[in-house]
């Protein structure tokens, strides 16, 4: 069963068919009930009309006259207050659903269904009797009657007549329910035949429409399977010429493929560049060690230490980039950016040019103290490599919770406007020889921007007042209610 309903098309078809089936059954039932109620009410009105016609006759008819029911096709009975049958349709053979099932007046009943008083007494009675009255209320019952050999179902109406010359009487008149039975049967038969046909049509149309709607999805799936098999991330899934959810799915899938291809390409370049950067210090260190092993007096210990330090720094940078690429998020530690800058600068020794610092306002942010310290160190290292006489670091804080701004400027040659975005790419060095001699691998600024973005901030570069480069780091303020987290 699960495999049969495994496709969206099958489930959609089944669901649509079930919904339509429930709706049709409910509508059909309501229609049959309404039709039956309407036809039954019509039969009741016809029976009530017949009963009142007979009742009107009994109001004015003398007690001595026989009750004339006008031979007809409908069953009629007249019953007195004691339940005795006074009159009935001539050809009535059997009846149910009324007060009495008699079809002939009982022996000994008054002639014409009247009383036993003589004429004088009758006149006396007539003088003192109140005016006869036909009741406005009608009681309805269902039953059957046999007239001249034909048996049928009837709707009976009972109308009471008070104070007639014969006393209190009840008139029963029936109207056939054959039309109601026939109409309900015909409607039921039509529904039993039409509903299955309609459900088949609904199922077929839903199946075809769903297949047409899901055809682009199958195209997307097939193309994704081909991309997975070929490992060619340059391919894209087809986008249908529509404006529905499937088209948006295809566009989003292509955007995901493009981002994945870009990520894979960056990873490849990263591996290639890392291999290239590691090759030089390793080769240099190996050469120095081999020369030292053959000629100890020629061993360049300071050079070996320098190459080892370069390897250590490069390995640390590569490790941090790998952690950032893996999605590592900064912690929730509250950091005083001004204190962090002072602490970082106090640990620096042997800087080529002096570093001036200035702090304005309270600069508190939320994030990783270790990563932010790396950003400060990388920006200062970059300024030291390019400055002529001075490096200036400024920390500014806004109002409570309004963030902080860190600027690092130098009086060097600056960064050409056309290169101001490229300098943040990995392994990019605008002055390759000086960067390499200074120990740079082109990763410092890339790491600084990645850390800034992961902290919700920005890192940009522009021209400093001294004419050199000015790197500006902006970070959002400390979030209220932030829990202290583990530093990274």
């Amino acid at each position: 069963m699960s495999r049969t309903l495994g496709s969206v098309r099958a489930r959609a078809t089944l669901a649509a068919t079930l919904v339509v089936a429930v709706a049709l059954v409910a509508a059909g039932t309501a229609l049959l009930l309404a039709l039956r109620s309407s036809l039954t009410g019509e039969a009741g009105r016809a029976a009530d009309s017949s009963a009142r016609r007979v009742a009107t006759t009994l109001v004015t008819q003398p007690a001595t006259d026989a009750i004339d029911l006008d031979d007809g096709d409908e069953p009629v009975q007249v019953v007195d207050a004691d339940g005795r049958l006074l009159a009935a349709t001539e050809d009535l053979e059997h009846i149910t659903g009324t007060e009495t099932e008699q079809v002939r007046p009982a022996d000994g009943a008054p002639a014409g269904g009247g009383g036993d008083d003589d004429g004088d007494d009758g006149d006396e009675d007539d003088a003192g009797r109140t005016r006869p009255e036909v009741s406005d209320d009608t009681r309805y019952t269902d039953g059957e009657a046999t007239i001249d050999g034909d048996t049928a179902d009837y709707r009976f109406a009972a109308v009471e007549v008070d104070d007639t010359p014969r006393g209190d009487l009840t008139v029963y008149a029936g109207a056939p329910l054959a039309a109601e039975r026939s109409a309900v049967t015909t409607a039921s038969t039509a529904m039993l035949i039409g509903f299955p046909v309609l459900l088949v049509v609904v199922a077929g149309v839903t199946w075809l429409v769903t297949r047409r709607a899901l055809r682009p999805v199958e195209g997307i799936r097939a193309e994704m399977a081909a991309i997975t098999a070929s490992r060619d991330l340059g391919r894209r899934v087809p986008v249908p010429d529509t404006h529905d959810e499937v088209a948006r799915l295809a566009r989003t899938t292509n955007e995901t493929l493009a981002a994945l291809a870009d990520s894979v390409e960056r990873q490849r370049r990263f591996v290639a560049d890392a291999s290239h950067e590691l090759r030089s210090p390793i080769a240099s260190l190996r050469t120095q060690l081999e020369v030292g092993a053959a000629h100890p007096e020629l061993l360049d210990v300071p050079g070996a230490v320098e190459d080892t330090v370069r390897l250590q720094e490069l390995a640390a940078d590569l490790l941090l980039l790998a952690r950032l690429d893996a999605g590592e998020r900064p912690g929730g530690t509250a950091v005083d950016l001004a204190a962090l800058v002072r602490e970082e600068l106090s640990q620096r020794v042997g800087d080529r040019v002096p570093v001036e610092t200035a702090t304005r306002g309270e600069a508190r942010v939320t994030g990783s103290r270790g990563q932010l310290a790396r950003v400060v160190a990388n920006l200062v290292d970059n300024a030291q490599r390019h400055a002529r006489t001075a490096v200036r670091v400024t920390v500014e804080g806004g109002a409570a919770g309004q963030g902080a701004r860190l600027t690092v400027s130098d009086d060097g040659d600056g960064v050409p406007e056309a290169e101001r975005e490229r300098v943040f790419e990995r392994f990019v060095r605008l002055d390759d020889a000086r960067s390499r001699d200074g120990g740079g691998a082109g990763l410092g600024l890339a790491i600084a921007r990645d850390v800034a973005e992961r902290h919700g901030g920005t890192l940009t570069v522009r021209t400093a007042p001294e004419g050199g480069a000015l790197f500006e780091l902006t970070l959002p303020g400390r979030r209220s209610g932030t829990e202290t987290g583990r530093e990274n």
Side-chain angles (χ1 to χ4, degrees), residues 129-153:
R129 184 180 293 117
T130 60
R131 182 180 181 82
E133 182 180 353
V134 179
S135 174
D136 292 334
D137 298 329
T138 304
R139 292 183 287 108
Y140 295 99
T141 57
D142 292 334
E144 65 176 25
T146 302
I147 301 178
D148 197 18
D150 295 332
T151 302
D153 295 326

PDB file of all heavy atoms in Angstrom, residues 129-153:
ATOM      1  N   ARG A 129     -77.921  23.684  20.523  1.00  0.00           N
ATOM      2  CA  ARG A 129     -76.570  23.279  20.153  1.00  0.00           C
ATOM      3  C   ARG A 129     -75.765  24.482  19.685  1.00  0.00           C
ATOM      4  O   ARG A 129     -76.282  25.371  19.020  1.00  0.00           O
ATOM      5  CB  ARG A 129     -76.634  22.215  19.068  1.00  0.00           C
ATOM      6  CG  ARG A 129     -75.275  21.660  18.677  1.00  0.00           C
ATOM      7  CD  ARG A 129     -75.403  20.599  17.593  1.00  0.00           C
ATOM      8  NE  ARG A 129     -76.078  19.427  18.113  1.00  0.00           N
ATOM      9  CZ  ARG A 129     -77.237  18.976  17.681  1.00  0.00           C
ATOM     10  NH1 ARG A 129     -77.859  19.649  16.724  1.00  0.00           N
ATOM     11  NH2 ARG A 129     -77.796  17.902  18.191  1.00  0.00           N
ATOM     12  N   THR A 130     -74.479  24.461  20.015  1.00  0.00           N
ATOM     13  CA  THR A 130     -73.581  25.517  19.532  1.00  0.00           C
ATOM     14  C   THR A 130     -73.262  25.302  18.065  1.00  0.00           C
ATOM     15  O   THR A 130     -73.481  24.219  17.503  1.00  0.00           O
ATOM     16  CB  THR A 130     -72.275  25.510  20.334  1.00  0.00           C
ATOM     17  OG1 THR A 130     -71.652  24.242  20.177  1.00  0.00           O
ATOM     18  CG2 THR A 130     -72.557  25.764  21.816  1.00  0.00           C
ATOM     19  N   ARG A 131     -72.674  26.313  17.467  1.00  0.00           N
ATOM     20  CA  ARG A 131     -72.355  26.283  16.037  1.00  0.00           C
ATOM     21  C   ARG A 131     -71.196  25.318  15.789  1.00  0.00           C
ATOM     22  O   ARG A 131     -70.172  25.380  16.436  1.00  0.00           O
ATOM     23  CB  ARG A 131     -71.971  27.684  15.563  1.00  0.00           C
ATOM     24  CG  ARG A 131     -71.671  27.771  14.066  1.00  0.00           C
ATOM     25  CD  ARG A 131     -71.316  29.205  13.716  1.00  0.00           C
ATOM     26  NE  ARG A 131     -71.044  29.320  12.304  1.00  0.00           N
ATOM     27  CZ  ARG A 131     -71.963  29.439  11.341  1.00  0.00           C
ATOM     28  NH1 ARG A 131     -73.248  29.473  11.676  1.00  0.00           N
ATOM     29  NH2 ARG A 131     -71.633  29.547  10.074  1.00  0.00           N
ATOM     30  N   PRO A 132     -71.294  24.388  14.797  1.00  0.00           N
ATOM     31  CA  PRO A 132     -70.203  23.455  14.480  1.00  0.00           C
ATOM     32  C   PRO A 132     -68.948  24.238  14.046  1.00  0.00           C
ATOM     33  O   PRO A 132     -69.028  25.337  13.503  1.00  0.00           O
ATOM     34  CB  PRO A 132     -70.760  22.604  13.355  1.00  0.00           C
ATOM     35  CG  PRO A 132     -72.250  22.754  13.457  1.00  0.00           C
ATOM     36  CD  PRO A 132     -72.501  24.113  13.966  1.00  0.00           C
ATOM     37  N   GLU A 133     -67.792  23.606  14.314  1.00  0.00           N
ATOM     38  CA  GLU A 133     -66.522  24.277  13.998  1.00  0.00           C
ATOM     39  C   GLU A 133     -65.493  23.259  13.504  1.00  0.00           C
ATOM     40  O   GLU A 133     -65.341  22.185  14.092  1.00  0.00           O
ATOM     41  CB  GLU A 133     -65.981  24.996  15.229  1.00  0.00           C
ATOM     42  CG  GLU A 133     -64.688  25.757  14.977  1.00  0.00           C
ATOM     43  CD  GLU A 133     -64.197  26.457  16.222  1.00  0.00           C
ATOM     44  OE1 GLU A 133     -64.919  26.457  17.237  1.00  0.00           O
ATOM     45  OE2 GLU A 133     -63.060  26.990  16.183  1.00  0.00           O
ATOM     46  N   VAL A 134     -64.805  23.583  12.414  1.00  0.00           N
ATOM     47  CA  VAL A 134     -63.729  22.749  11.870  1.00  0.00           C
ATOM     48  C   VAL A 134     -62.406  23.205  12.471  1.00  0.00           C
ATOM     49  O   VAL A 134     -62.066  24.394  12.421  1.00  0.00           O
ATOM     50  CB  VAL A 134     -63.663  22.835  10.339  1.00  0.00           C
ATOM     51  CG1 VAL A 134     -62.516  21.982   9.803  1.00  0.00           C
ATOM     52  CG2 VAL A 134     -64.978  22.406   9.712  1.00  0.00           C
ATOM     53  N   SER A 135     -61.663  22.294  13.062  1.00  0.00           N
ATOM     54  CA  SER A 135     -60.399  22.627  13.713  1.00  0.00           C
ATOM     55  C   SER A 135     -59.372  23.108  12.689  1.00  0.00           C
ATOM     56  O   SER A 135     -59.334  22.645  11.545  1.00  0.00           O
ATOM     57  CB  SER A 135     -59.872  21.415  14.471  1.00  0.00           C
ATOM     58  OG  SER A 135     -58.586  21.684  14.996  1.00  0.00           O
ATOM     59  N   ASP A 136     -58.562  24.066  13.136  1.00  0.00           N
ATOM     60  CA  ASP A 136     -57.481  24.569  12.267  1.00  0.00           C
ATOM     61  C   ASP A 136     -56.262  23.652  12.284  1.00  0.00           C
ATOM     62  O   ASP A 136     -55.367  23.797  11.440  1.00  0.00           O
ATOM     63  CB  ASP A 136     -57.048  25.965  12.727  1.00  0.00           C
ATOM     64  CG  ASP A 136     -58.142  26.994  12.490  1.00  0.00           C
ATOM     65  OD1 ASP A 136     -58.966  26.777  11.571  1.00  0.00           O
ATOM     66  OD2 ASP A 136     -58.172  28.000  13.233  1.00  0.00           O
ATOM     67  N   ASP A 137     -56.195  22.740  13.236  1.00  0.00           N
ATOM     68  CA  ASP A 137     -55.042  21.842  13.362  1.00  0.00           C
ATOM     69  C   ASP A 137     -55.259  20.584  12.550  1.00  0.00           C
ATOM     70  O   ASP A 137     -56.386  20.076  12.423  1.00  0.00           O
ATOM     71  CB  ASP A 137     -54.803  21.473  14.823  1.00  0.00           C
ATOM     72  CG  ASP A 137     -54.469  22.698  15.666  1.00  0.00           C
ATOM     73  OD1 ASP A 137     -53.859  23.632  15.114  1.00  0.00           O
ATOM     74  OD2 ASP A 137     -54.832  22.701  16.863  1.00  0.00           O
ATOM     75  N   THR A 138     -54.131  20.085  12.003  1.00  0.00           N
ATOM     76  CA  THR A 138     -54.177  18.852  11.216  1.00  0.00           C
ATOM     77  C   THR A 138     -53.105  17.910  11.703  1.00  0.00           C
ATOM     78  O   THR A 138     -51.959  18.325  11.904  1.00  0.00           O
ATOM     79  CB  THR A 138     -53.960  19.136   9.717  1.00  0.00           C
ATOM     80  OG1 THR A 138     -54.931  20.088   9.268  1.00  0.00           O
ATOM     81  CG2 THR A 138     -54.078  17.854   8.899  1.00  0.00           C
ATOM     82  N   ARG A 139     -53.473  16.679  11.921  1.00  0.00           N
ATOM     83  CA  ARG A 139     -52.520  15.645  12.301  1.00  0.00           C
ATOM     84  C   ARG A 139     -52.228  14.786  11.072  1.00  0.00           C
ATOM     85  O   ARG A 139     -53.130  14.465  10.294  1.00  0.00           O
ATOM     86  CB  ARG A 139     -53.070  14.764  13.423  1.00  0.00           C
ATOM     87  CG  ARG A 139     -53.212  15.517  14.735  1.00  0.00           C
ATOM     88  CD  ARG A 139     -53.697  14.602  15.864  1.00  0.00           C
ATOM     89  NE  ARG A 139     -55.106  14.272  15.712  1.00  0.00           N
ATOM     90  CZ  ARG A 139     -55.577  13.073  15.348  1.00  0.00           C
ATOM     91  NH1 ARG A 139     -54.731  12.092  15.090  1.00  0.00           N
ATOM     92  NH2 ARG A 139     -56.862  12.855  15.242  1.00  0.00           N
ATOM     93  N   TYR A 140     -50.936  14.423  10.941  1.00  0.00           N
ATOM     94  CA  TYR A 140     -50.514  13.649   9.773  1.00  0.00           C
ATOM     95  C   TYR A 140     -49.945  12.310  10.212  1.00  0.00           C
ATOM     96  O   TYR A 140     -49.201  12.224  11.204  1.00  0.00           O
ATOM     97  CB  TYR A 140     -49.449  14.403   8.965  1.00  0.00           C
ATOM     98  CG  TYR A 140     -49.960  15.692   8.343  1.00  0.00           C
ATOM     99  CD1 TYR A 140     -49.715  16.925   8.950  1.00  0.00           C
ATOM    100  CD2 TYR A 140     -50.675  15.663   7.162  1.00  0.00           C
ATOM    101  CE1 TYR A 140     -50.166  18.091   8.381  1.00  0.00           C
ATOM    102  CE2 TYR A 140     -51.132  16.841   6.582  1.00  0.00           C
ATOM    103  CZ  TYR A 140     -50.869  18.045   7.199  1.00  0.00           C
ATOM    104  OH  TYR A 140     -51.334  19.195   6.636  1.00  0.00           O
ATOM    105  N   THR A 141     -50.267  11.271   9.482  1.00  0.00           N
ATOM    106  CA  THR A 141     -49.720   9.936   9.689  1.00  0.00           C
ATOM    107  C   THR A 141     -49.483   9.292   8.337  1.00  0.00           C
ATOM    108  O   THR A 141     -50.038   9.737   7.317  1.00  0.00           O
ATOM    109  CB  THR A 141     -50.672   9.049  10.512  1.00  0.00           C
ATOM    110  OG1 THR A 141     -51.941   8.978   9.838  1.00  0.00           O
ATOM    111  CG2 THR A 141     -50.860   9.577  11.929  1.00  0.00           C
ATOM    112  N   ASP A 142     -48.629   8.267   8.330  1.00  0.00           N
ATOM    113  CA  ASP A 142     -48.354   7.505   7.109  1.00  0.00           C
ATOM    114  C   ASP A 142     -48.903   6.093   7.279  1.00  0.00           C
ATOM    115  O   ASP A 142     -48.862   5.511   8.373  1.00  0.00           O
ATOM    116  CB  ASP A 142     -46.853   7.442   6.825  1.00  0.00           C
ATOM    117  CG  ASP A 142     -46.290   8.803   6.444  1.00  0.00           C
ATOM    118  OD1 ASP A 142     -47.064   9.626   5.929  1.00  0.00           O
ATOM    119  OD2 ASP A 142     -45.092   9.041   6.671  1.00  0.00           O
ATOM    120  N   GLY A 143     -49.396   5.560   6.218  1.00  0.00           N
ATOM    121  CA  GLY A 143     -49.926   4.190   6.249  1.00  0.00           C
ATOM    122  C   GLY A 143     -50.147   3.703   4.834  1.00  0.00           C
ATOM    123  O   GLY A 143     -49.630   4.271   3.863  1.00  0.00           O
ATOM    124  N   GLU A 144     -50.947   2.650   4.715  1.00  0.00           N
ATOM    125  CA  GLU A 144     -51.256   2.120   3.397  1.00  0.00           C
ATOM    126  C   GLU A 144     -52.732   1.761   3.350  1.00  0.00           C
ATOM    127  O   GLU A 144     -53.380   1.551   4.379  1.00  0.00           O
ATOM    128  CB  GLU A 144     -50.388   0.910   3.072  1.00  0.00           C
ATOM    129  CG  GLU A 144     -50.622  -0.300   3.953  1.00  0.00           C
ATOM    130  CD  GLU A 144     -49.790  -1.496   3.519  1.00  0.00           C
ATOM    131  OE1 GLU A 144     -48.741  -1.304   2.887  1.00  0.00           O
ATOM    132  OE2 GLU A 144     -50.243  -2.624   3.805  1.00  0.00           O
ATOM    133  N   ALA A 145     -53.246   1.703   2.152  1.00  0.00           N
ATOM    134  CA  ALA A 145     -54.661   1.374   1.942  1.00  0.00           C
ATOM    135  C   ALA A 145     -54.802   0.573   0.656  1.00  0.00           C
ATOM    136  O   ALA A 145     -54.013   0.736  -0.286  1.00  0.00           O
ATOM    137  CB  ALA A 145     -55.513   2.642   1.897  1.00  0.00           C
ATOM    138  N   THR A 146     -55.845  -0.290   0.662  1.00  0.00           N
ATOM    139  CA  THR A 146     -56.160  -1.079  -0.534  1.00  0.00           C
ATOM    140  C   THR A 146     -57.524  -0.644  -1.023  1.00  0.00           C
ATOM    141  O   THR A 146     -58.528  -0.763  -0.294  1.00  0.00           O
ATOM    142  CB  THR A 146     -56.163  -2.583  -0.229  1.00  0.00           C
ATOM    143  OG1 THR A 146     -54.878  -2.949   0.291  1.00  0.00           O
ATOM    144  CG2 THR A 146     -56.455  -3.397  -1.477  1.00  0.00           C
ATOM    145  N   ILE A 147     -57.577  -0.142  -2.246  1.00  0.00           N
ATOM    146  CA  ILE A 147     -58.823   0.329  -2.853  1.00  0.00           C
ATOM    147  C   ILE A 147     -59.024  -0.434  -4.140  1.00  0.00           C
ATOM    148  O   ILE A 147     -58.195  -0.362  -5.061  1.00  0.00           O
ATOM    149  CB  ILE A 147     -58.785   1.842  -3.119  1.00  0.00           C
ATOM    150  CG1 ILE A 147     -58.552   2.606  -1.805  1.00  0.00           C
ATOM    151  CG2 ILE A 147     -60.070   2.313  -3.783  1.00  0.00           C
ATOM    152  CD1 ILE A 147     -58.445   4.090  -1.996  1.00  0.00           C
ATOM    153  N   ASP A 148     -60.146  -1.182  -4.184  1.00  0.00           N
ATOM    154  CA  ASP A 148     -60.505  -1.953  -5.384  1.00  0.00           C
ATOM    155  C   ASP A 148     -59.343  -2.831  -5.834  1.00  0.00           C
ATOM    156  O   ASP A 148     -59.015  -2.911  -7.025  1.00  0.00           O
ATOM    157  CB  ASP A 148     -60.939  -1.008  -6.499  1.00  0.00           C
ATOM    158  CG  ASP A 148     -61.705  -1.736  -7.607  1.00  0.00           C
ATOM    159  OD1 ASP A 148     -62.177  -2.872  -7.344  1.00  0.00           O
ATOM    160  OD2 ASP A 148     -61.806  -1.179  -8.721  1.00  0.00           O
ATOM    161  N   GLY A 149     -58.659  -3.443  -4.858  1.00  0.00           N
ATOM    162  CA  GLY A 149     -57.588  -4.392  -5.162  1.00  0.00           C
ATOM    163  C   GLY A 149     -56.211  -3.779  -5.321  1.00  0.00           C
ATOM    164  O   GLY A 149     -55.218  -4.508  -5.416  1.00  0.00           O
ATOM    165  N   ASP A 150     -56.087  -2.450  -5.346  1.00  0.00           N
ATOM    166  CA  ASP A 150     -54.785  -1.785  -5.505  1.00  0.00           C
ATOM    167  C   ASP A 150     -54.304  -1.277  -4.143  1.00  0.00           C
ATOM    168  O   ASP A 150     -55.014  -0.504  -3.485  1.00  0.00           O
ATOM    169  CB  ASP A 150     -54.887  -0.613  -6.480  1.00  0.00           C
ATOM    170  CG  ASP A 150     -55.224  -1.071  -7.894  1.00  0.00           C
ATOM    171  OD1 ASP A 150     -54.862  -2.210  -8.233  1.00  0.00           O
ATOM    172  OD2 ASP A 150     -55.860  -0.287  -8.637  1.00  0.00           O
ATOM    173  N   THR A 151     -53.107  -1.739  -3.752  1.00  0.00           N
ATOM    174  CA  THR A 151     -52.532  -1.328  -2.470  1.00  0.00           C
ATOM    175  C   THR A 151     -51.429  -0.305  -2.719  1.00  0.00           C
ATOM    176  O   THR A 151     -50.576  -0.492  -3.609  1.00  0.00           O
ATOM    177  CB  THR A 151     -51.962  -2.529  -1.722  1.00  0.00           C
ATOM    178  OG1 THR A 151     -53.016  -3.495  -1.511  1.00  0.00           O
ATOM    179  CG2 THR A 151     -51.387  -2.119  -0.375  1.00  0.00           C
ATOM    180  N   ALA A 152     -51.444   0.748  -1.945  1.00  0.00           N
ATOM    181  CA  ALA A 152     -50.437   1.814  -2.109  1.00  0.00           C
ATOM    182  C   ALA A 152     -50.205   2.481  -0.763  1.00  0.00           C
ATOM    183  O   ALA A 152     -50.994   2.334   0.175  1.00  0.00           O
ATOM    184  CB  ALA A 152     -50.893   2.835  -3.152  1.00  0.00           C
ATOM    185  N   ASP A 153     -49.059   3.222  -0.688  1.00  0.00           N
ATOM    186  CA  ASP A 153     -48.748   4.001   0.508  1.00  0.00           C
ATOM    187  C   ASP A 153     -49.440   5.358   0.426  1.00  0.00           C
ATOM    188  O   ASP A 153     -49.513   5.971  -0.659  1.00  0.00           O
ATOM    189  CB  ASP A 153     -47.235   4.196   0.643  1.00  0.00           C
ATOM    190  CG  ASP A 153     -46.503   2.891   0.878  1.00  0.00           C
ATOM    191  OD1 ASP A 153     -47.084   2.010   1.552  1.00  0.00           O
ATOM    192  OD2 ASP A 153     -45.352   2.740   0.390  1.00  0.00           O
TER     193      ASP A 153
END
